[in-house]
């Protein structure tokens, strides 16, 4: 599992705020605490990542939002251009590759799962 351990929770919060500024539709009570899968159209690894999440969802209820980095301004898009797919939780950035087991470990380590339906 490739956590970006160099990013503190405060930095994740700031990163999520930048993403919300670029994609205001994420600024809802339903989306703000969800996991976000960052990717883009035509990215085959992003398709694989969605399949991994779908497999995980068969055993664990998880809500996530797909976010297309093509909607970002260039500096923000370039932050992710060479690392997508990327999962951003409220506290962690998880770079691909990841497996169902990695998602389970991440899910179990989440400080709060209150936002899940």
């Amino acid at each position: 599992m490739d956590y970006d351990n160099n990013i503190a929770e405060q930095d994740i919060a700031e990163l999520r705020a930048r993403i919300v500024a670029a994609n205001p539709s994420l600024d809802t009570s339903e989306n703000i605490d969800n996991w976000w899968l960052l990717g883009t159209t035509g990215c085959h690894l992003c398709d694989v990542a969605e399949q991994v999440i779908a497999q995980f969802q068969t055993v664990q209820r998880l809500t996530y939002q797909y976010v297309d980095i093509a909607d970002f301004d260039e500096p923000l898009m370039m932050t992710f251009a060479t690392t997508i797919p990327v999962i951003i939780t409220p506290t962690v950035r998880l770079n691909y590759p990841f497996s169902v087991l990695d998602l389970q470990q991440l899910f179990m380590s989440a400080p709060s799962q209150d936002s899940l339906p």
Side-chain angles (χ1 to χ4, degrees):
M1 180 166 27
D2 187 16
Y3 287 132
D4 195 334
N5 292 326
N6 297 323
I7 298 181
E9 282 187 37
Q10 178 181 357
D11 294 333
I12 294 292
E14 291 171 9
L15 182 59
R16 286 176 67 96
R18 288 179 60 201
I19 292 169
V20 166
N23 190 338
S25 68
L26 293 173
D27 194 15
T28 66
S29 61
E30 295 84 32
N31 285 329
I32 203 67
D33 291 325
N34 283 351
W35 290 15
W36 299 340
L37 174 61
L38 279 57
T40 196
T41 303
C43 168
H44 73 281
L45 292 177
C46 301
D47 295 338
V48 171
E50 283 196 289
Q51 292 170 0
V52 170
I53 291 172
Q55 290 172 350
F56 178 65
Q57 288 176 316
T58 65
V59 296
Q60 185 66 57
R61 202 161 88 182
L62 171 72
T63 302
Y64 79 97
Q65 178 70 40
Y66 186 86
V67 180
D68 194 328
I69 67 167
D71 295 333
F72 297 166
D73 60 30
E74 187 171 350
L76 183 57
M77 182 179 66
M78 294 311 293
T79 301
F80 301 104
T82 60
T83 58
I84 57 171
V86 174
I87 291 177
I88 305 282
T89 76
T91 58
V92 174
R93 175 181 171 163
L94 178 62
N95 296 326
Y96 191 82
F98 45 81
S99 67
V100 171
L101 180 58
D102 295 327
L103 297 181
Q104 180 69 29
Q105 291 173 342
L106 181 59
F107 185 82
M108 298 308 290
S109 68
S112 172
Q113 297 163 14
D114 296 337
S115 65
L116 298 176

